[in-house]
Amino acid sequence: MNIIFICLSTDNTNFIVNDTLDRIFYLKNNDNIKSIQVISLKENGIIHKNDIKIFGLNNKYKSRVIKFFKLYNILFSLLKANRVDYLYLYMSPTIAILVYPFKLLFNFKIASWFGHTKYNFITKLSLKYFTDIWFNAIKSFAPFQTKNIYFVGQGVRKDIFYPNYQYEKKFDFITVGRISPIKQLLETVRYIDLYSKNFNRKITLL
């Protein structure tokens, strides 16, 4: 399977999309994926991160028109060079409308990962009529639902980790999540440290 991955940015300091590179590397290392090409909407030029080549659409004039033509130029070059099975849009669902002519011409599918509490008309239109598969984590991030939506959860397997109230309590604070700035783990450690000093509790990091 060959994929073109379109995202807002691969900058891991960005609060909203700082897990983008993790997603790209996960897909790259998947045995079912032969190749992955990356297009970044907010970065400039050609960027190399490890062995991933990223095409940035931003320009010094901040012109949306120039960015639009750069998208079409890069996308056409990538589609012409290799067979592409999926165009994967991460947190940028409205791009599906712009690239739909390429979908009709090159016969690939559009998959989109998007979850938010608010959706404007264009976003709804894009996800409902221009996207083949819409991935979302939980229903609270999808105030409207379509036939093509798939809820994939938030990464915790409930068949392994499930509430069990018949045990002796060993911890006062437990946090589950990837090690990422958006999870604010450093703040969590600071609060636990403050709590332990005030209430004579022991800190355990798992």
Side-chain angles (χ1 to χ4, degrees):
M1 183 187 303
N2 298 314
I3 291 178
I4 294 178
F5 187 103
I6 299 181
C7 58
L8 296 174
S9 172
T10 61
D11 181 6
N12 60 10
T13 63
N14 186 298
F15 181 77
I16 302 298
V17 291
N18 58 22
D19 64 334
T20 301
L21 271 180
D22 293 336
R23 292 175 182 271
I24 293 170
F25 291 134
Y26 175 81
L27 291 171
K28 181 183 179 299
N29 295 325
N30 190 300
D31 293 335
N32 296 318
I33 296 177
K34 182 179 179 181
S35 69
I36 180 168
Q37 306 282 346
V38 180
I39 299 175
S40 170
L41 302 179
K42 293 188 176 182
E43 291 170 287
N44 188 28
I46 296 177
I47 307 162
H48 293 273
K49 295 189 177 181
N50 291 354
D51 54 348
I52 296 290
K53 188 176 183 180
I54 302 164
F55 299 88
L57 298 185
N58 214 349
N59 57 85
K60 61 181 179 179
Y61 303 109
K62 306 295 182 182
S63 170
R64 292 187 178 183
V65 175
I66 295 177
K67 184 181 291 188
F68 174 81
F69 280 106
K70 285 181 71 174
L71 171 63
Y72 268 43
N73 184 45
I74 293 171
L75 195 55
F76 183 75
S77 300
L78 295 177
L79 290 168
K80 190 171 64 172
N82 294 292
R83 162 70 187 171
V84 172
D85 301 289
Y86 278 92
L87 197 67
Y88 187 106
L89 309 177
Y90 180 54
M91 295 301 288
S92 50
T94 55
I95 296 295
I97 298 176
L98 297 178
V99 302
Y100 201 78
F102 287 101
K103 169 183 166 63
L104 298 177
L105 183 61
F106 290 95
N107 193 32
F108 56 80
K109 290 187 177 180
I110 297 177
S112 183
W113 173 280
F114 187 77
H116 207 279
T117 55
K118 295 181 180 179
Y119 292 69
N120 60 34
F121 173 76
I122 299 298
T123 301
K124 290 180 180 180
L125 184 71
S126 175
L127 290 169
K128 188 172 183 178
Y129 296 108
F130 293 87
T131 303
D132 295 291
I133 304 173
W134 172 21
F135 294 110
N136 202 322
I138 53 178
K139 290 184 178 180
S140 61
F141 285 159
F144 78 103
Q145 296 180 22
T146 62
K147 292 181 179 179
N148 64 344
I149 191 170
Y150 290 85
F151 293 105
V152 298
Q154 293 184 307
V156 177
R157 290 183 55 186
K158 292 184 179 180
D159 58 325
I160 299 177
F161 301 99
Y162 56 91
N164 180 3
Y165 301 102
Q166 304 301 318
Y167 71 98
E168 181 182 352
K169 190 179 81 167
K170 296 181 181 180
F171 307 104
D172 291 291
F173 288 99
I174 296 177
T175 178
V176 178
R178 66 183 184 275
I179 299 177
S180 172
I182 198 171
K183 297 299 180 181
Q184 299 184 9
L185 295 181
L186 184 58
E187 290 298 317
T188 302
V189 171
R190 287 173 178 165
Y191 284 123
I192 292 176
D193 183 44
L194 181 63
Y195 177 85
S196 65
K197 289 177 180 178
N198 291 339
F199 297 96
N200 192 27
R201 298 294 185 183
K202 180 181 178 182
I203 298 177
T204 303
L205 298 179
L206 301 177

